């Protein structure tokens, strides 16, 4: 909290700080030591939580005015697991409203600033999660990633961010954006910390119908530093047009290092990549329009005081409670799901999603990991991409295909462009986080 007091005025990563409860939790943990009870490896470590993960009795807003005063009555599964792992929750972190955005500028409450350069965005939507770790306010944090929201801010803030395989981490208690794409994952300062945290939050959960019943391996054991004979695929679509020269160079430099460590690499093609952005925005907005129907002024949070009848109450609550970007997505999603357009848009996008997934499967028949940049540029300036949603959307072009395919991917720091951090993205096979960590750790 001392460190937070020093830097938070500039970084603005937190929406809610919970010092009183954190101190009480830490004190309770002290008791355990006094009684000599065996403790977890994460014992006593301070963590920050993205504000779309529900925390019992601790305000959870998803950075939306519609949830401004929402105190959840239960803990998300990942929070229960963190309590079991004896971490201490420090507070809730800023984000783009309902995780829709790439810069934190869509937060309903405030902007977060990049600790490396306060004129720049921290990335998004888990911008607070990445900035708080980069600024040393917490040791690690949880974010969520629907189309890049863990990896892109990790890249912009020079920290490590992992989007696990879809189904590895329970989504119970994650405020849903696009349920078929959302995953919770860890943001940390190094790869080893990241693996410890993932191990603590992963695992089957009967409260999430898409949770996978798989064994969670010992990720740390896989970090031998030995990647001899490992086969790396580099998609040509990930180094093409729109990718900044310094970004491209940092990836080529990273490949030299990986080669020196004994891996080999070849260029491959993920031919349907060019459709990923359109597919993602149709599907994620469709799912969002359904998920966000629950915010109607009756069951959760804000209710407009200005309405005179029920229908007006629904309308005014949503009009006043949601921000611009959220409304844009709800409208696009409602349109794509409407009877006359369902086949032409939603169903078509589902089919293209399958083709994108098959692109990955084909490459993984011959290669162990796919490597490329996390984002096409370093952190951009505040306000630089807010006028045109399409330029903002384009920033996620390299992360979105991974969510559509459901595979795991990490972003690790790989250099700088004029003092701004860059991230290397390492993508693995379904449930093969071990190999992703192994490569990231050897490279780091
Ligand atoms: N920036 C992307 C979007 O706005 C991804 C967000 C995310 O991963 N939650 O949808």
């Amino acid at each position: 909290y001392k460190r937070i007091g020093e830097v938070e005025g500039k970084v603005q990563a937190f929406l809610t700080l919970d010092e009183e409860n954190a101190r009480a939790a830490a004190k309770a943990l002290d008791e355990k030591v006094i009684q000599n009870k065996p403790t977890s490896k994460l014992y006593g470590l301070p963590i920050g939580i993205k504000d779309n993960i529900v925390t019992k009795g601790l305000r959870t807003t998803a950075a939306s005015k519609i949830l401004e005063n929402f105190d959840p009555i239960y803990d998300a599964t990942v929070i229960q697991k963190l309590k079991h792992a004896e971490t201490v929750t420090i507070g809730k972190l800023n984000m783009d409203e309902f995780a829709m955005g790439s810069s934190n500028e869509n937060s309903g409450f405030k902007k977060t600033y990049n600790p490396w350069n306060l004129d720049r965005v921290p990335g998004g939507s888990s911008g607070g999660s990445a900035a708080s770790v980069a600024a040393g306010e917490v040791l690690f944090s949880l974010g969520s990633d629907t189309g890049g929201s863990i990896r892109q801010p990790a890249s912009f803030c020079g920290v490590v961010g992992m989007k696990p395989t879809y189904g590895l981490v329970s989504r119970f208690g994650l405020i849903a954006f696009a349920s078929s794409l959302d995953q919770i994952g860890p943001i940390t300062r190094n790869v080893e910390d990241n693996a410890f945290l993932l191990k603590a939050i992963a695992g089957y959960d009967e409260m999430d119908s898409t949770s996978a019943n798989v064994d969670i391996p010992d990720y740390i054991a896989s970090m031998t530093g030995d990647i001899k004979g490992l086969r790396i695929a580099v998609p040509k679509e990930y180094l093409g047009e729109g990718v900044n020269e310094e970004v491209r160079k940092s990836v080529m430099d990273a490949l030299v290092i990986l080669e020196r460590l004994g891996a080999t690499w070849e260029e491959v093609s993920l031919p349907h990549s060019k459709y990923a952005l359109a597919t993602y925005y149709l599907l994620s907005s469709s799912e969002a329009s359904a998920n966000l129907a629950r915010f109607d002024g009756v069951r959760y949070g804000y209710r407009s005081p200005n309405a005179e009848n029920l229908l007006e109450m629904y309308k005014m609550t949503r009009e006043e409670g949601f921000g611009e970007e959220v409304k844009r997505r709800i409208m696009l999603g409602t349109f794509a799901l409407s009877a006359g357009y369902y086949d032409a848009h939603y169903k078509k996008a589902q089919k293209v999603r399958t083709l994108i997934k098959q692109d990955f499967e084909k490459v993984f028949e011959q290669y162990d990991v796919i490597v490329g940049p996390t984002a096409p540029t370093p952190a951009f300036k505040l306000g630089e991409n807010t006028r045109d949603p399409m330029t903002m959307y384009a920033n996620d072009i390299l992360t979105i295909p991974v969510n559509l395919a459901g595979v795991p991917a990490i972003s690790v720091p790989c250099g700088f462009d004029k003092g701004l951090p860059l991230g290397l993205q390492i993508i693995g096979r379904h449930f093969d986080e071990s190999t992703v960590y192994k490569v990231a750790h050897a490279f780091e």
Side-chain angles (χ1 to χ4, degrees):
Y1 282 104
K2 184 163 169 271
R3 174 69 185 163
I4 291 171
E6 285 164 12
V7 298
E8 180 63 7
K10 289 182 184 156
V11 177
Q12 303 277 327
F14 284 92
L15 286 176
T16 309
L17 280 163
D18 191 30
E19 185 158 357
E20 211 175 298
N21 286 324
R23 284 189 187 279
K27 217 168 161 64
L29 288 174
D30 281 349
E31 292 300 317
K32 280 198 175 175
V33 164
I34 293 162
Q35 293 163 18
N36 218 356
K37 295 251 174 70
T39 54
S40 126
K41 289 220 166 74
L42 302 183
Y43 173 86
L45 298 178
I47 189 162
I49 307 292
K50 186 176 182 179
D51 209 24
N52 59 351
I53 299 173
V54 303
T55 42
K56 188 174 175 180
L58 176 58
R59 190 172 84 111
T60 301
T61 68
S64 181
K65 293 227 159 70
I66 214 159
L67 287 174
E68 186 158 9
N69 300 309
F70 176 55
D71 283 330
I73 53 168
Y74 68 96
D75 275 328
T77 297
V78 291
I79 300 297
Q80 292 170 28
K81 283 179 180 276
L82 285 177
K83 284 186 175 163
H84 182 71
E86 302 172 330
T87 64
V88 178
T89 296
I90 298 300
K92 304 299 291 289
L93 293 157
N94 198 19
M95 53 184 284
D96 290 292
E97 185 177 1
F98 287 108
M100 297 171 185
S102 308
S103 67
N104 262 43
E105 291 164 298
N106 293 340
S107 167
F109 302 114
K110 64 177 184 184
K111 294 188 174 71
T112 295
Y113 299 84
N114 191 315
W116 292 85
N117 179 336
L118 298 172
D119 295 334
R120 304 275 165 161
V121 302
S125 63
S126 312
S129 301
S132 61
V133 172
E137 296 182 288
V138 284
L139 192 65
F140 38 41
S141 66
L142 291 187
S144 70
D145 191 314
T146 307
S149 279
I150 289 175
R151 290 160 286 155
Q152 184 256 25
S155 167
F156 282 13
C157 291
V159 292
V160 178
M162 172 66 128
K163 197 262 334 157
T165 306
Y166 183 78
L168 188 77
V169 178
S170 169
R171 292 183 296 109
F172 180 67
L174 171 66
I175 296 175
F177 163 13
S179 312
S180 79
L181 300 157
D182 298 341
Q183 265 294 285
I184 296 171
I187 297 181
T188 57
R189 295 188 88 126
N190 62 51
V191 175
E192 199 176 333
D193 285 357
N194 203 282
F196 271 115
L197 189 50
L198 182 61
K199 175 105 182 154
I201 60 168
Y204 176 69
D205 180 14
E206 61 180 19
M207 299 302 282
D208 172 0
S209 64
T210 59
S211 174
N213 204 342
V214 292
D215 287 334
I216 309 302
D218 182 355
Y219 303 125
I220 304 292
S222 72
M223 294 179 192
T224 54
D226 181 8
I227 55 165
K228 273 191 204 74
L230 190 110
R231 296 157 305 171
I232 298 172
V234 181
K236 62 171 191 261
E237 292 81 4
Y238 285 24
L239 291 170
E241 207 189 319
V243 176
N244 162 315
E245 205 34 58
E246 285 303 316
V247 170
R248 200 190 322 248
K249 203 174 145 290
S250 73
V251 172
M252 297 318 289
D253 290 348
L255 288 168
V256 171
I257 293 173
L258 291 167
E259 253 182 338
R260 245 185 250 148
L261 292 167
T264 56
W265 70 271
E266 278 171 333
E267 191 175 276
V268 299
S269 176
L270 296 169
H272 297 93
S273 296
K274 56 178 177 287
Y275 305 117
L277 211 57
T279 305
Y280 169 84
Y281 276 96
L282 276 169
L283 294 178
S284 66
S285 301
S286 296
E287 293 183 30
S289 74
N291 276 326
L292 270 55
R294 75 192 67 180
F295 302 103
D296 57 5
V298 177
R299 285 165 287 191
Y300 301 91
Y302 178 74
R303 173 184 295 180
S304 173
N306 306 320
E308 301 205 330
N309 58 49
L310 183 64
L311 192 61
E312 236 178 72
M313 194 281 286
Y314 290 146
K315 283 186 177 171
M316 295 177 86
T317 295
R318 290 167 70 82
E319 185 182 323
E320 292 159 23
F322 288 137
E324 286 297 303
E325 182 63 24
V326 174
K327 286 179 194 162
R328 184 178 294 124
R329 309 264 182 131
I330 292 173
M331 283 168 68
L332 176 62
T334 305
F335 173 78
L337 289 178
S338 58
Y341 298 100
Y342 185 90
D343 284 356
H345 300 310
Y346 182 75
K347 213 164 156 196
K348 177 76 118 310
Q350 289 285 31
K351 288 180 181 169
V352 179
R353 180 177 186 173
T354 302
L355 294 174
I356 290 168
K357 190 161 168 255
Q358 286 169 351
D359 279 357
F360 279 91
E361 281 163 2
K362 216 161 151 210
V363 168
F364 282 131
E365 280 170 13
Q366 286 186 53
Y367 299 90
D368 302 301
V369 290
I370 297 173
V371 165
T374 304
T377 65
F380 44 88
K381 287 204 176 88
L382 281 124
E384 190 177 326
N385 285 342
T386 41
R387 258 153 300 156
D388 175 16
M390 279 310 289
T391 58
M392 189 71 91
Y393 295 174
N395 207 265
D396 297 320
I397 202 143
L398 305 167
T399 46
I400 276 172
V402 168
N403 300 75
L404 291 168
V407 291
I410 201 167
S411 178
V412 281
C414 69
F416 290 90
D417 178 13
K418 298 182 199 72
L420 297 168
L422 302 174
L424 184 74
Q425 185 172 207
I426 303 165
I427 308 168
R429 297 189 182 102
H430 284 109
F431 299 107
D432 193 13
E433 278 76 7
S434 288
T435 303
V436 173
Y437 277 135
K438 183 210 222 23
V439 179
H441 176 257
F443 171 72
E444 187 179 48

